[in-house]
């Protein structure tokens, strides 16, 4: 049997009747052995069985359309981008299509002839498709074939038809040697399509249902290889699975605290809290990422869990990226917690001398139950009596290095990391690092979506100023964000100092506060408190307010030189408003003509959804360019879109843990073992 399985790994030269030209073509696609070939999956499908009408489109779906073109043109763009623009109809509606870097299309697409278009549809003024597959229909018979045909990435000289033929033959001759590499019990329990069947269906699907099932199978398969590898390693190292202690499970204080709030937790918050209670009670070390969009209420979740750990006899820590944020957290719970008899203290770089000595002593002897701070918590000589839970807020400011530092200090404890925005990097960590993921996928009720507008000329800017004036007179507050603090000739971005005089001019009767990184911490705190207490109408700031700051009465944010910020920063900044009952507004000021900037501004105008923005960010920047993704090897996952498939990632992780717990860390499927070895060859 084993010998036969090895046939799969033989060079493609061993294929029957393969020609030299075909071999060359296959090699140009980096296909070296028979397994590479069998696993060379279609990039798309030409599915004539399921042609959609334009009037039925909903947007954000993958479809096949049958259309005629109304117009085709190559508009002139100042950049080097070459674009072909077309408008098409199927009689029920129109759709706009663009292709990039294929200027010859304008000549070859014939107005009035019938074409099949295959690709992703996006909503817009009209529906839109970018770079769809297209095929001219020559006769009605071709239309009626009713097959789902695979479309592969190939080179110009290697036609779809010849690749399809080779694959068909190879499937017949070799798929019988392909043994199941997912353990049988998992295949059965999760009703996973068998490897051989799935392989047949992914290339030449009988119908849509089989196609979906085969995609699911390979998504699970590729994650399983990855996760089993990582988790087996950890299992044998005894890191996360070992049971260290049990909590008594008291919930008195937590209940009182939640009752004292003037709102109920959302279902999503409850779900995450309950999930983590359960884990804490199991005595398994937690290592978990909490993802939630800006304003989804991550702080309360963290505080509830910290209180829970405290009332069950342990100390808790919450670490924030800035002093402003640490202070905000401290002030938001200090009274409530102390009313419950829980001593809370703030430990930042500003705490010094005698005061600090005393504080460190009280932490060490366990009198302080909850410690809120900045990275001073890790840098300093802080010792705990019995630390039970560490929460790290706004994860993207804390790298893997700092987390490692915590561990190196010998503080092995439960760790919750809360991400600021659903950025791909955190997902990368969730697979390759060592984090599990919880998602708060719901905002508190009554939030109105923030209205966002891109402003690119001075007369609109004047209107914005008038509008802000009106809102300030109604009692609201406003943020202005600038990218830089010092004047710099090289960069045309407006600095705080320069912009200050403009703002003072425009809003001469308003109280304006300034915040930037070079100020002393005490000064920063004071300004922040004044803004919170409505002693200031306007806060002009650098990105120090980017993460976490919570002032629900502030309903307008204006971002100057918005082109200097990436999508996730813009989203994070915008998240400073829309935190209360008031309709909120975000103005993005940018005169830039750069295509990428324009794309970013439009995405911001279009959506408030951080998960969608993370996905667009990934698309604009390409996976490999995002820090951490390339190094992790995740960019070569074929089936998993790391910004989208968090649920699958989670499910597979659970499958692996369940399996390894049962088998004591031994993987009993030798074909899976081989795949894991191949996968980790380079990294181990
Ligand atoms: P983020 O997830 O961005 O850290 P925060 O935890 O700062 O968000 O919460 C944003 C705001 O929403 C805060 O003012 C908080 O009090 C409020 N909030 C949190 N949970 C709820 C809820 N379940 N119902 C109503 N308001 C809530
Ligand atoms: Mg927060």
């Amino acid at each position: 049997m084993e010998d036969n399985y090895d046939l799969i790994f033989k060079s493609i030269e061993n294929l029957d009747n393969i020609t030299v030209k075909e071999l060359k073509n296959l090699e140009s696609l980096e296909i070296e052995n028979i397994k590479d070939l069998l696993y060379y999956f279609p990039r798309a499908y030409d599915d004539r069985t399921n042609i959609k009408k334009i009037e039925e489109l909903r947007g954000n779906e993958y479809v096949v359309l049958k259309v005629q073109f109304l117009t085709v043109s190559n508009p002139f763009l100042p950049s080097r981008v070459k674009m072909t623009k077309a408008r098409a109809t199927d009689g029920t509606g129109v759709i706009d299509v663009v292709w990039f870097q294929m200027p010859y299309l304008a000549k070859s697409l014939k107005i009035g002839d019938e074409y099949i278009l295959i690709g992703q549809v996006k909503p817009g003024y009209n529906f839109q498709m970018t770079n769809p597959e297209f095929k001219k229909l020559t006769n009605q018979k071709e239309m009626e074939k009713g097959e789902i045909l695979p479309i592969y990435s190939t080179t110009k000289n290697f036609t779809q038809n010849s690749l399809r033929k080779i694959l068909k033959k190879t499937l017949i001759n070799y798929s019988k040697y392909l043994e199941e590499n997912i353990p049988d019990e998992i295949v059965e329990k999760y009703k996973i399509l068998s490897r051989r069947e799935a392989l047949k269906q992914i290339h030449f699907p009988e119908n849509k249902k089989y196609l979906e099932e085969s995609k699911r199978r390979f998504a699970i398969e590729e994650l399983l290889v990855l996760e089993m590898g990582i988790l087996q390693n950890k299992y044998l190292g005894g890191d996360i699975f070992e049971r260290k202690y049990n909590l008594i499970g008291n919930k008195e204080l937590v209940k009182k605290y939640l009752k004292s709030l003037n709102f109920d937790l959302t279902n999503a918050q409850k779900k995450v809290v309950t999930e983590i209670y359960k884990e804490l009670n199991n005595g398994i070390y937690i290592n978990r990422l909490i993802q939630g969009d800006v304003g989804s209420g991550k702080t309360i979740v963290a505080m509830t869990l910290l209180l829970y750990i405290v009332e069950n006899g342990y100390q808790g820590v919450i670490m924030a990226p800035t002093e402003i944020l640490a202070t905000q957290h401290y002030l938001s719970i200090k009274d409530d917690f102390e009313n419950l008899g829980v001593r809370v203290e703030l430990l930042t770089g500003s705490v010094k001398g005698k005061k600090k000595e005393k504080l460190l002593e009280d932490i060490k002897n366990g009198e302080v139950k909850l410690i809120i701070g900045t990275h001073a918590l890790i840098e300093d000589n802080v010792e705990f009596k019995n630390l039970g839970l560490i929460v790290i807020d706004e994860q993207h400011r804390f790298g893997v290095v700092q987390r490692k530092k915590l561990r190196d200090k010998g503080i092995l404890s439960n760790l919750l990391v809360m991400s600021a925005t659903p950025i791909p990097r955190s997902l990368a960590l969730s697979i390759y690092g060592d984090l599990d993921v919880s998602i708060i996928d719901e905002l508190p009720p009554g939030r109105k979506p923030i209205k966002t507008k891109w402003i690119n000329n001075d007369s609109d800017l004047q209107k914005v100023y008038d509008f802000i004036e009106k809102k300030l007179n109604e009692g609201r507050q406003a943020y202005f964000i600038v990218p830089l603090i010092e004047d710099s000739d090289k960069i045309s971005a407006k600095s705080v100092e320069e912009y200050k005089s403009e703002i003072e001019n425009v809003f001469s009767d308003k109280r304006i506060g300034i915040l930037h990184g070079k100020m002393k911490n005490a000064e920063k705190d004071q300004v922040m408190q004044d803004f919170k207490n409505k002693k200031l109408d306007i806060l002009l700031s650098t990105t120090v307010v980017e993460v976490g700051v919570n002032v629900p009465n502030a309903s307008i944010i204006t971002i100057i030189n918005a082109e200097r910020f990436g999508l996730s920063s813009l989203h994070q900044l915008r998240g400073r408003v829309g935190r209360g009952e008031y309709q909120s507004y975000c103005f993005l000021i940018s005169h830039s003509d750069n295509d990428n900037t324009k794309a970013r501004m439009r995405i911001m105008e279009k959506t408030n959804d951080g998960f969608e923005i993370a996905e667009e960010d990934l698309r604009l920047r390409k996976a490999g360019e995002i820090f951490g993704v390339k190094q992790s090897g995740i960019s070569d996952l074929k089936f998993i879109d790391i910004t989208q498939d968090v649920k699958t990632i989670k499910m597979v992780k659970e499958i692996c843990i369940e399996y390894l717990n049962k088998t004591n860390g031994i993987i009993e499927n030798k074909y899976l073992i081989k795949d894991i070895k191949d996968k980790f060859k380079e990294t181990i």
Side-chain angles (χ1 to χ4, degrees):
M1 205 70 213
E2 187 143 71
D3 294 336
N4 284 341
Y5 190 70
D6 285 347
L7 288 177
I8 306 286
F9 296 88
K10 287 230 151 72
S11 150
I12 46 175
E13 285 163 26
N14 294 289
L15 289 169
D16 291 341
N17 302 324
I18 193 97
T19 68
V20 177
K21 187 173 161 232
E22 284 170 332
L23 276 178
K24 244 184 148 169
N25 279 334
L26 288 172
E27 274 158 19
S28 73
L29 302 179
E30 294 177 13
I31 295 172
E32 287 166 12
N33 63 34
I34 293 166
K35 187 185 171 205
D36 295 341
L37 178 58
L38 291 172
Y39 270 67
Y40 195 77
F41 293 159
R43 154 168 65 91
Y45 297 87
D46 177 358
D47 180 3
R48 309 277 170 87
T49 62
N50 193 10
I51 290 185
K52 269 258 164 111
K53 294 235 180 338
I54 292 176
E55 66 179 3
E56 298 165 353
L57 296 179
R58 292 278 169 275
N60 292 319
E61 55 196 320
Y62 195 88
V63 294
V64 179
L65 301 174
K66 188 171 93 175
V67 300
Q68 292 176 317
F69 289 108
L70 298 169
T71 59
V72 183
S73 65
N74 281 337
F76 175 76
L77 293 178
S79 58
R80 236 177 270 154
V81 177
K82 292 212 166 56
M83 185 165 91
T84 306
K85 249 178 124 164
R87 180 160 289 178
T89 181
D90 65 355
T92 73
V94 290
I95 181 159
D96 288 332
V97 188
V98 290
W99 287 274
F100 289 103
Q101 310 306 56
M102 294 195 265
Y104 48 87
L105 284 185
K107 287 212 181 86
S108 60
L109 296 175
K110 293 273 179 299
I111 289 174
D113 285 356
E114 291 209 301
Y115 287 84
I116 292 286
L117 292 180
I118 307 160
Q120 187 77 21
V121 173
K122 290 249 158 201
Y125 177 70
N126 289 325
F127 281 106
Q128 298 176 4
M129 280 176 131
T130 305
N131 293 331
E133 303 288 335
F134 65 95
K135 205 173 267 173
K136 189 169 164 181
L137 281 178
T138 38
N139 56 46
Q140 199 51 34
K141 234 163 112 205
E142 194 181 339
M143 193 57 228
E144 285 156 5
K145 261 195 233 158
E147 271 182 280
I148 307 178
L149 288 173
I151 297 173
Y152 299 95
S153 305
T154 69
T155 50
K156 238 191 198 157
N157 306 324
F158 195 14
T159 64
Q160 293 291 340
N161 268 339
S162 42
L163 183 52
R164 282 176 194 154
K165 251 190 227 152
I166 296 173
L167 262 159
K168 235 176 200 157
K169 215 162 71 185
T170 312
L171 276 168
I172 292 171
N173 292 338
Y174 285 89
S175 63
K176 54 177 175 276
Y177 303 127
L178 205 67
E179 300 297 333
E180 184 55 78
N181 60 347
I182 301 179
D184 293 341
E185 51 189 288
I186 298 177
V187 171
E188 272 162 41
K189 182 164 174 194
Y190 294 91
K191 302 200 167 40
I192 296 168
L193 205 58
S194 76
R195 194 178 190 188
R196 285 176 203 164
E197 186 60 29
L199 204 64
K200 222 166 73 193
Q201 297 293 344
I202 197 110
H203 287 288
F204 302 100
E206 261 168 57
N207 57 43
K208 238 189 154 98
K209 184 172 158 280
Y210 274 126
L211 175 58
E212 289 314 312
E213 276 186 39
S214 63
K215 283 185 182 167
R216 172 174 178 264
R217 187 234 139 77
F218 288 113
I220 294 174
E221 178 183 316
E222 80 176 336
L223 274 175
L224 199 82
V225 172
L226 196 68
E227 299 277 8
M228 277 290 192
I230 293 167
L231 290 169
Q232 186 190 34
N233 227 348
K234 273 208 244 172
Y235 193 97
L236 301 176
D239 192 2
I240 55 165
F241 291 81
E242 218 170 317
R243 301 170 72 91
K244 297 280 185 190
Y245 63 87
N246 284 300
L247 290 188
I248 323 161
N250 286 341
K251 270 190 201 152
E252 298 290 300
L253 296 186
V254 166
K255 277 188 192 146
K256 276 190 196 157
Y257 173 60
L258 290 178
K259 233 186 208 154
S260 75
L261 299 173
N262 53 8
F263 52 75
D264 291 329
L265 294 187
T266 62
N267 285 331
Q269 286 170 318
K270 279 186 201 153
K271 198 186 69 202
V272 171
V273 169
T274 317
E275 183 173 44
I276 298 171
Y277 279 160
K278 228 164 82 189
E279 267 193 326
L280 285 168
N281 291 347
N282 277 342
I284 297 168
Y285 273 135
I286 297 181
N287 210 5
R288 187 170 278 277
L289 175 72
I290 301 183
Q291 286 227 81
D293 210 342
V294 238
S296 60
K298 294 182 286 285
T299 316
I300 294 289
V301 168
M303 294 305 175
T304 307
L305 292 162
L306 285 163
L307 187 58
Y308 182 66
I309 205 93
V310 166
E311 83 167 294
N312 285 285
Y314 293 85
Q315 289 171 300
V317 155
I318 179 162
M319 190 155 78
T322 63
E323 195 150 343
I324 291 180
L325 207 53
T327 311
Q328 174 180 289
H329 284 331
Y330 175 68
L331 295 174
S332 77
I333 55 144
K334 180 180 182 291
D335 293 345
D336 285 347
F337 276 35
E338 288 187 348
N339 283 340
L340 297 169
V342 174
R343 183 165 161 206
V344 187
E345 295 289 349
L346 185 64
L347 178 55
T348 64
S350 314
V351 184
K352 293 203 171 82
K354 279 251 154 59
K355 205 176 153 203
K356 181 169 177 183
E357 258 170 52
K358 174 84 174 77
L359 182 54
L360 290 180
E361 204 182 300
D362 288 353
I363 293 173
K364 194 173 168 183
N365 65 30
E367 265 176 47
V368 181
K369 300 296 181 198
L370 177 58
I371 304 102
I372 300 181
T374 54
H375 53 266
L377 284 170
I378 20 171
E379 305 296 351
D380 287 327
N381 194 13
V382 188
E383 285 175 71
F384 300 91
K385 184 174 177 216
N386 55 359
L387 186 55
L389 178 64
I390 302 169
V391 178
I392 300 181
D393 193 16
E394 311 294 0
Q395 175 261 335
H396 74 255
R397 291 291 174 92
F398 280 108
V400 189
V401 182
Q402 276 111 330
R403 288 205 281 131
K404 197 167 170 302
K405 218 163 173 176
L406 261 176
R407 294 260 148 132
D408 289 349
K409 271 188 75 171
I411 306 173
L412 244 182
S413 187
N414 294 302
L415 184 66
L416 290 177
V417 175
M418 302 202 288
S419 86
T421 17
I423 48 172
R425 189 160 90 91
S426 53
L427 281 165
L429 279 173
S430 79
I431 303 180
Y432 254 91
D434 38 6
L435 296 165
D436 300 311
V437 185
S438 292
I439 310 171
I440 306 179
D441 51 5
E442 179 185 2
L443 293 178
R447 294 277 168 82
K448 301 185 182 83
I450 301 161
K451 292 187 178 157
T452 301
K453 198 158 170 33
W454 170 28
I455 304 295
N456 60 5
N457 64 68
D458 288 340
S459 78
D460 283 352
L461 183 60
Q462 190 50 52
K463 283 185 208 149
V464 166
Y465 285 157
D466 294 344
F467 179 81
I468 294 176
E469 176 95 42
K470 201 179 107 210
K471 291 288 161 190
L472 294 178
N473 290 339
E474 286 169 16
R476 300 291 76 71
Q477 290 162 286
Y479 294 100
F480 281 84
I481 308 295
V482 289
L484 270 183
I485 142 155
E486 293 121 328
D487 282 317
S488 159
D489 291 337
K490 281 199 203 116
I491 303 163
S492 59
K494 288 192 172 171
S495 70
V496 174
E497 295 303 331
E498 185 193 335
Y499 204 68
K500 189 179 155 207
S501 45
E502 181 167 340
I503 292 291
E504 281 171 348
N505 253 327
V506 180
F507 302 99
S508 52
D509 63 337
K510 296 287 183 272
R511 300 161 300 175
I512 301 165
I514 286 193
L515 204 62
H516 58 69
K518 297 243 160 120
M519 287 161 61
K520 293 226 171 69
N521 284 325
E523 291 171 347
K524 280 195 258 180
D525 278 349
Q526 191 57 51
V527 173
M528 215 45 238
Q529 283 321 310
D530 287 348
F531 191 57
K532 231 172 209 178
N533 298 331
K534 301 189 192 167
K535 289 185 190 156
L536 295 170
D537 304 299
I538 292 173
L539 185 64
L540 174 59
S541 170
T542 60
T543 52
V544 283
V545 300
E546 180 179 336
V547 285
V549 167
N550 188 38
V551 182
N553 187 53
S555 67
I556 306 164
I557 187 163
T558 305
I559 302 171
I560 316 297
N561 291 110
E563 71 279 358
R564 309 214 355 133
F565 296 96
L567 269 179
S568 84
S569 279
L570 289 173
H571 180 60
Q572 191 48 233
L573 283 166
R574 178 171 62 181
R576 293 319 101 216
V577 300
R579 298 185 150 249
E581 61 198 284
Y582 307 107
Q583 175 61 55
S584 292
Y585 304 87
C586 170
F587 299 108
L588 305 169
I589 316 290
S590 173
H591 299 278
S592 167
D593 234 1
N594 175 292
D595 282 340
N596 196 292
T597 301
K598 285 193 217 161
R600 290 205 309 276
M601 299 303 130
R602 293 204 177 107
I603 290 162
M604 290 296 292
E605 285 187 324
K606 198 181 82 189
T607 180
N608 269 298
D609 178 343
F611 286 90
E612 197 177 331
I613 288 173
E615 188 198 346
E616 296 281 3
D617 199 23
L618 190 67
R619 198 162 291 146
L620 282 176
R621 293 205 276 164
K622 286 192 259 155
E625 288 172 26
I626 292 175
F627 177 75
V629 172
K630 203 167 191 168
Q631 291 85 328
S632 70
I634 281 175
S635 46
D636 48 57
L637 288 177
K638 280 189 222 150
F639 279 92
I640 293 298
D641 177 346
I642 55 165
T643 62
Q644 290 292 294
D645 297 336
V646 184
K647 288 203 175 112
T648 315
I649 293 169
K650 225 174 113 163
M651 178 184 90
V652 172
K653 198 160 216 166
E654 273 156 20
I655 293 177
C656 292
I657 291 179
E658 188 189 347
Y659 178 83
L660 291 168
N661 270 330
K662 228 183 198 158
T663 64
N664 287 321
I666 312 284
I667 293 171
E668 284 158 348
N669 178 312
K670 61 184 175 194
Y671 308 106
L672 176 57
I673 296 174
K674 177 174 169 32
D675 287 342
I676 293 173
K677 279 196 179 137
D678 288 347
K679 175 103 205 164
F680 289 91
K681 218 171 21 208
E682 284 120 56
T683 46
I684 291 175

